[in-house]
Amino acid sequence: MEFKVNSKELEKHLNRVIPAIPSRTPMPILENFLFDIKDGLLTIYATDLEISLKSSFGIAADGDIDALIPAKLLHNVVRALGDTSINFEFTENGKLILKTDNGVYTLSFLGTADYPEIPDFPGDKLGSEELQELIINGEDLKSALDKSVFAIAKEEMRPALTGVLFEFSDEGLRFVATDGHRLANIIYKKYKLGEEEKKRYIVPERAVSVVIKALDEKDVKIYLSATHISFVMNDMELITRLIAQKYPDYSAVIPLENEFTMKIDANVILDVVKRMMFFSISGTKKIKFSISESKLEISAEDIDRGASADETLECEYNGEPLDIGFNSMYINDILSHLTSEKELIFNLHSPTKAVVITPVEQKEDVELMMLIMPVRLNN
Amino acid sequence: MEFKVNSKELEKHLNRVIPAIPSRTPMPILENFLFDIKDGLLTIYATDLEISLKSSFGIAADGDIDALIPAKLLHNVVRALGDTSINFEFTENGKLILKTDNGVYTLSFLGTADYPEIPDFPGDKLGSEELQELIINGEDLKSALDKSVFAIAKEEMRPALTGVLFEFSDEGLRFVATDGHRLANIIYKKYKLGEEEKKRYIVPERAVSVVIKALDEKDVKIYLSATHISFVMNDMELITRLIAQKYPDYSAVIPLENEFTMKIDANVILDVVKRMMFFSISGTKKIKFSISESKLEISAEDIDRGASADETLECEYNGEPLDIGFNSMYINDILSHLTSEKELIFNLHSPTKAVVITPVEQKEDVELMMLIMPVRLNN
C-alpha cells in the first residue's frame, strides 16, 4: 500500500496532532500516530487518553490502511526533510518505507488492534437532544480562554476548579476560572444556545491549553454533551472528556457593592508590580497598595535581605484613603492578562474584601472582569 | 556618599559583569557585585574565584566608596526600570537607597573586607619580561574560539583538554581543542609574539565561553603570563587563571598522508547528517559513509526500533571505494561549525585512520582544520 504526500503539508498536520502524544506514559502504544487512510483521505490521530486530536487531508493513495507509526521519529524526520515529496510504502512485513529523491527511511509500523478506542464524538450523538452545537469566532475563543486559564487551580484538591467553566445562559456565553485567590470572568453576549435553562460545562486545563495554541481567526465549531466537548477547527479536531463535577457558585464571591473606584493606567501599574515582585519574595509574597485621592503608593519589603521598594503612581480615586495587601504573583498574573486594555478600574471596599478589576472601556458585546482576594496586612 | 547614573548605561555594565556571579556557591559573598568608586570612576567587579570580570565607566559622584551589593536583586531592579536616572545613596547604617522619579528602592550593602582579593593582573606584572601582550581583532578571536571550544573534553579526566590551547609560534597564533575523538585547529598567521620560541597557554572553557559572548568587531588586548590571561575589551576586562598542565602533542594524531580526497557541499552534508541522527541513537551513535567515485551514501540503523535511513549525495572523490563509520554527534558538531564554508574537503586513508576536514577555500591568513576519529564498522 502506497501514498504520496508533500513533506510540508504532512508536517503541518503532524504539528497539530502531536500535542496529544504523551511524553511519558505507561502505555507505549500511545507514543504512535494512528494513520487512518480511507478513500484517499488521511486522518492522523493521537491521544493521551485525556484529549484526542485528529487532523485530516486528501492524499493520492492506492488503497486503505490503519497503522500505528512512531510519532516522535516520524515527526523529526518529516520536519528535517525540507520541502519535498515523500512516498510512503507499507510493506507486508510491518515496515514503513519513506522515499524521497535522495533518501530512504525505514520505520516499523504496527496494526491498530491494541490501540485504545478512539472516541466517536459527536458521531453517535449527532441529532440527539443531549448534543449542543455552537459556532464561535476563533479570536473570541482564544482571547476568552487566554484571559481565564491562568486563574485555574493548580492542585487537584478541588477537581472542578482545575478547568475553565463554559456557562451558557440568556446573558450569553460566560468563561470562568478561579483557584479561590483570584477569579477571571468573561462574558461574550452574542453566543447563546437559544435555551432558557443555564448549561454548565467544565473543560480541563490541558484541553484549553492545546486549543489556545491551535486557534486562529477562523470560526470554530463546538459540540457539547454531558460528558464530552469537541472543538472543530478547519481540518483539525480536539475531543476531551469534561470534568464531571459541580462548579462552585462563583457569583457568591463577587462583591456587588464595592463603592470605591480607582482608575489607573493598565501598563504603568503592571510595570510597577513587576519591580515590586523582586522585593516580595518570601511568605505570602505580599505587596501593599496605599490609595489616596490622586495617588497610589505601592510598596514591598524583603525583611530577610533588608530590602524594600516603594513607588508612587498617579490615579483617580473617589474613596476614603485605604491600605490593602495583595499577593504580588496573583496581581501580576491578572494585570499581565489586561495589557491590551488602556485603563483599568479597581472597585474596592475595605482591606479584607475582594477587589474587582475591569477595563474602563469594555469591548463590544464583551464583559471582562477579574477579581482578587486581598492578603492581610500586619500593621 | 551619593552618585547618579542612567539606568540603561548601568544595565549595560551589569550585563557584562554578571556572568562571573556564581548561581550556586558555598561562599554567598560572591553573590554580590563589588562597586569600587574612585575619583568619579565606577568599576564593577564580579568573580566566582575562577574568572573575574570588571567593567568601568565615569559617573557623577560626590566621594569614593567600596561596597558589595546583592548582584541579582540590583540587576533585576535596574533592568526593570526602563530608561531613567537613578540616584544611588550609601547610608551610614549599611543601606543603599536607589531613587528614581517615582520610586525608592532600599537594598543592604556590605563592606569589602571579607571579599576575596581581586587579582591585580597584569598590574604587578606590567613591564616584566614574563608578560606577553597582543592585540587581536574581536571577530577573529570570536570566530577562532567559537570554532574550537565545542571540541574540548567535557570530563575532567585530563584537565589539559578542558581548555582551548593558544599556541604562539612562527606560524602565527594557533587555537586547538580536542577530546581525543575530534580536534579543532585554527591558525591565524598574522598574530605573532615576535619570538622564535613556541609559547603555549591553556584557557579554561568557562572563560572562553564568557569571552565569546562579550566579543564584537572591536580589537581586544590580551595579556599573558605563565599563570594568567586577561582579555581587555573596551571598558570591560576578563581575567582567568590558566590551566597549569602540559597540553598533549596534538600534532602526532594529525595524519599527513591521507591521500584520498572527497569534495562535498558543506551545508548539504550537514542536513543529511542531522536526519541520520534520529536513527543513530544507540551505543556509539554510529553512521556509515560509503564513498565511491561520485557518490557519498550515508546510512544509519536503529536496530532496537527496527528503523534505518539511507541517503545518497553527490561528491567528487579520487580514491578507492571506502566504507567508514563516525559518531553522528561528533561529525554533526564539526559540520555545524563549518556552515559558513561553501565546500569541504575530507582527507581520508582507511576505515581506521583519522579523517581531516578542511574548507576548500581558506580565509586569508587563516588555516582551519577539523579532525575526527572514525568508529569501527562491524561488517
Side-chain angles (χ1 to χ4, degrees):
Chain A
M1 191 271 152
E2 295 190 36
F3 71 90
K4 261 198 167 47
V5 68
N6 172 270
S7 58
K8 288 286 153 196
E9 170 82 3
L10 179 59
E11 183 186 344
K12 188 178 74 181
H13 293 274
L14 298 181
N15 285 344
R16 287 177 180 166
V17 175
I18 204 157
I21 298 286
S23 47
R24 277 184 220 168
T25 170
M27 284 179 67
I29 202 167
L30 300 180
E31 292 166 357
N32 292 288
F33 290 124
L34 191 161
F35 271 46
D36 174 356
I37 298 169
K38 204 172 175 185
D39 302 333
L41 186 75
L42 165 58
T43 303
I44 307 169
Y45 290 97
T47 186
D48 59 6
L49 299 185
E50 185 183 333
I51 63 170
S52 310
L53 285 165
K54 66 178 178 183
S55 192
S56 305
F57 63 110
I59 52 165
D62 69 358
D64 297 346
I65 200 168
D66 278 354
L68 299 179
I69 304 174
K72 210 175 135 198
L73 180 58
L74 181 68
H75 190 232
N76 282 337
V77 170
V78 170
R79 279 195 301 177
L81 273 175
D83 192 347
T84 184
S85 173
I86 312 176
N87 190 79
F88 278 66
E89 182 189 349
F90 295 88
T91 70
E92 296 293 331
N93 61 351
K95 295 293 174 190
L96 166 61
I97 302 170
L98 277 56
K99 280 191 190 143
T100 64
D101 285 347
N102 305 315
V104 180
Y105 313 90
T106 306
L107 284 65
S108 293
F109 74 91
L110 293 170
T112 58
D114 296 332
Y115 196 76
E117 203 180 345
I118 296 151
D120 180 27
F121 179 81
D124 53 352
K125 292 265 189 334
L126 273 174
S128 91
E129 283 194 16
E130 194 213 316
L131 190 75
Q132 304 281 354
E133 297 182 29
L134 181 79
I135 289 174
I136 302 191
N137 172 271
E139 286 183 349
D140 285 352
L141 185 58
K142 192 182 176 79
S143 172
L145 295 178
D146 191 52
K147 286 186 162 55
S148 55
V149 71
F150 77 91
I152 68 163
K154 303 299 180 283
E155 358 67 53
E156 316 239 318
M157 294 281 285
R158 299 175 69 186
L161 298 187
T162 62
V164 173
L165 174 70
F166 286 42
E167 181 185 271
F168 294 90
S169 71
D170 47 13
E171 286 180 295
L173 169 55
R174 181 194 294 263
F175 300 86
V176 177
T178 184
D179 63 358
H181 304 290
R182 61 265 172 85
L183 178 145
N185 173 89
I186 305 122
I187 306 174
Y188 279 78
K189 297 176 193 168
K190 62 181 159 180
Y191 299 116
K192 292 183 187 176
L193 287 182
E195 297 177 15
E196 283 178 30
E197 194 190 349
K198 195 177 269 192
K199 296 246 179 189
R200 298 175 137 210
Y201 308 90
I202 310 173
V203 183
E205 187 276 335
R206 218 173 108 55
V208 171
S209 298
V210 171
V211 167
I212 288 175
K213 285 192 199 113
L215 286 167
D216 54 25
E217 75 291 347
K218 299 201 198 78
D219 281 349
V220 182
K221 180 145 194 182
I222 293 179
Y223 293 99
L224 277 157
S225 75
T227 55
H228 287 83
I229 186 168
S230 115
F231 298 85
V232 184
M233 300 161 264
N234 295 316
D235 38 13
M236 171 185 175
E237 188 179 343
L238 178 143
I239 302 170
T240 183
R241 190 175 281 281
L242 295 166
I243 296 175
Q245 297 271 330
K246 194 171 149 33
Y247 204 80
D249 179 19
Y250 60 85
S251 64
V253 305
I254 303 176
L256 300 173
E257 301 187 359
N258 274 7
E259 71 277 34
F260 303 154
T261 65
M262 176 181 76
K263 188 159 98 174
I264 198 149
D265 185 290
N267 287 288
V268 168
I269 187 172
L270 174 61
D271 284 349
V272 175
V273 166
K274 287 205 176 295
R275 289 192 285 271
M276 292 297 145
M277 290 178 78
F278 301 127
F279 295 84
S280 69
I281 55 170
S282 50
T284 57
K285 302 188 190 304
K286 187 175 58 192
I287 62 175
K288 177 172 152 189
F289 281 35
S290 302
I291 316 171
S292 60
E293 200 178 327
S294 61
K295 279 194 338 192
L296 165 61
E297 185 185 340
I298 305 185
S299 57
E301 194 174 359
D302 178 356
I303 295 170
D304 295 344
R305 294 198 289 175
S308 62
D310 196 310
E311 288 199 50
T312 305
L313 294 78
E314 286 175 24
C315 71
E316 285 176 35
Y317 181 57
N318 69 358
E320 293 160 14
L322 185 67
D323 284 357
I324 186 168
F326 298 107
N327 177 306
S328 61
M329 272 176 46
Y330 293 157
I331 191 97
N332 176 62
D333 277 350
I334 288 177
L335 296 174
S336 297
H337 287 86
L338 294 171
T339 52
S340 60
E341 312 299 334
K342 216 168 154 275
E343 287 182 303
L344 302 176
I345 296 280
F346 283 60
N347 285 89
L348 308 106
H349 172 78
S350 74
T352 55
K353 208 164 167 194
V355 174
V356 170
I357 305 171
T358 52
V360 169
E361 288 180 27
Q362 293 279 8
K363 294 189 175 54
E364 204 189 328
D365 276 335
V366 178
E367 261 179 45
L368 169 61
M369 185 272 278
M370 304 279 189
L371 177 147
I372 182 166
M373 297 303 296
V375 296
R376 195 173 293 278
L377 293 170
N378 27 354
N379 289 325
Chain B
M1 191 271 148
E2 294 190 36
F3 72 90
K4 262 198 166 42
V5 69
N6 173 271
S7 58
K8 287 286 152 197
E9 171 82 3
L10 178 60
E11 183 186 343
K12 189 179 73 181
H13 292 275
L14 297 181
N15 286 343
R16 287 177 181 166
V17 176
I18 204 155
I21 299 286
S23 47
R24 275 185 221 167
T25 169
M27 284 180 66
I29 202 166
L30 300 180
E31 293 167 357
N32 292 288
F33 291 123
L34 192 160
F35 271 45
D36 174 357
I37 298 170
K38 203 171 177 185
D39 303 333
L41 185 75
L42 166 58
T43 303
I44 306 169
Y45 290 96
T47 185
D48 60 6
L49 299 184
E50 185 182 333
I51 63 170
S52 309
L53 285 165
K54 66 178 176 182
S55 192
S56 304
F57 63 110
I59 52 165
D62 69 359
D64 296 345
I65 200 168
D66 278 354
L68 299 179
I69 304 174
K72 210 175 136 196
L73 180 57
L74 180 68
H75 189 232
N76 282 337
V77 170
V78 170
R79 279 195 301 176
L81 273 176
D83 192 348
T84 184
S85 173
I86 313 177
N87 190 79
F88 278 65
E89 180 188 350
F90 294 88
T91 71
E92 296 293 331
N93 61 351
K95 293 295 175 192
L96 166 61
I97 302 170
L98 277 55
K99 279 189 190 146
T100 63
D101 284 347
N102 305 315
V104 180
Y105 313 89
T106 305
L107 284 65
S108 293
F109 73 89
L110 294 171
T112 58
D114 297 332
Y115 196 75
E117 202 181 345
I118 295 151
D120 180 26
F121 179 82
D124 52 354
K125 292 265 189 334
L126 272 175
S128 91
E129 280 193 19
E130 193 213 315
L131 191 74
Q132 303 281 354
E133 296 182 30
L134 180 80
I135 289 174
I136 302 192
N137 173 271
E139 286 183 349
D140 285 352
L141 184 59
K142 193 183 176 79
S143 172
L145 295 179
D146 191 52
K147 286 186 162 55
S148 54
V149 69
F150 77 90
I152 69 164
K154 304 298 180 285
E155 357 69 48
E156 316 238 320
M157 294 283 284
R158 300 176 68 186
L161 298 186
T162 63
V164 173
L165 175 69
F166 286 43
E167 181 184 272
F168 295 90
S169 72
D170 46 13
E171 286 181 296
L173 170 54
R174 183 194 292 264
F175 300 86
V176 177
T178 184
D179 63 357
H181 303 291
R182 61 266 172 85
L183 178 145
N185 173 90
I186 305 123
I187 307 174
Y188 278 78
K189 297 177 194 167
K190 61 182 162 181
Y191 299 115
K192 291 183 186 175
L193 288 183
E195 297 177 15
E196 281 177 33
E197 195 189 347
K198 197 177 268 194
K199 296 245 178 190
R200 298 175 138 213
Y201 308 89
I202 310 173
V203 183
E205 186 275 337
R206 218 170 109 55
V208 171
S209 297
V210 172
V211 167
I212 288 175
K213 284 192 197 113
L215 286 167
D216 54 25
E217 74 291 348
K218 300 203 197 75
D219 281 350
V220 182
K221 180 145 194 181
I222 294 179
Y223 294 99
L224 277 158
S225 74
T227 55
H228 287 82
I229 186 168
S230 117
F231 298 86
V232 183
M233 300 163 265
N234 295 318
D235 38 14
M236 172 185 174
E237 187 179 342
L238 179 142
I239 302 170
T240 185
R241 191 174 279 281
L242 295 166
I243 297 175
Q245 297 271 332
K246 192 170 147 35
Y247 204 80
D249 178 20
Y250 61 84
S251 64
V253 305
I254 303 176
L256 301 173
E257 301 188 359
N258 274 6
E259 72 278 33
F260 303 153
T261 64
M262 176 182 76
K263 187 158 98 176
I264 198 150
D265 184 289
N267 287 287
V268 168
I269 187 173
L270 174 61
D271 284 349
V272 175
V273 166
K274 286 204 177 297
R275 289 191 283 271
M276 292 297 145
M277 290 178 78
F278 302 126
F279 296 84
S280 69
I281 54 171
S282 50
T284 57
K285 301 188 190 307
K286 187 177 57 195
I287 62 175
K288 178 171 149 190
F289 281 35
S290 303
I291 316 171
S292 59
E293 199 177 329
S294 61
K295 277 192 344 189
L296 165 61
E297 186 185 339
I298 306 184
S299 57
E301 194 174 358
D302 177 357
I303 295 169
D304 295 344
R305 295 198 290 175
S308 62
D310 196 311
E311 288 199 50
T312 305
L313 297 77
E314 284 174 25
C315 70
E316 285 175 35
Y317 181 58
N318 68 359
E320 292 160 17
L322 185 67
D323 284 357
I324 186 168
F326 298 107
N327 176 309
S328 61
M329 271 176 47
Y330 293 157
I331 190 95
N332 175 63
D333 277 351
I334 288 177
L335 296 173
S336 297
H337 288 86
L338 294 170
T339 51
S340 59
E341 313 298 335
K342 214 166 154 279
E343 285 184 303
L344 302 176
I345 296 280
F346 283 60
N347 284 90
L348 310 106
H349 173 77
S350 74
T352 55
K353 208 162 167 196
V355 174
V356 170
I357 305 172
T358 52
V360 169
E361 288 180 27
Q362 294 280 7
K363 293 187 176 55
E364 206 189 326
D365 276 334
V366 179
E367 261 177 45
L368 169 60
M369 186 271 278
M370 305 280 189
L371 177 147
I372 182 166
M373 297 303 297
V375 295
R376 195 172 293 278
L377 292 170
N378 26 357
N379 289 324

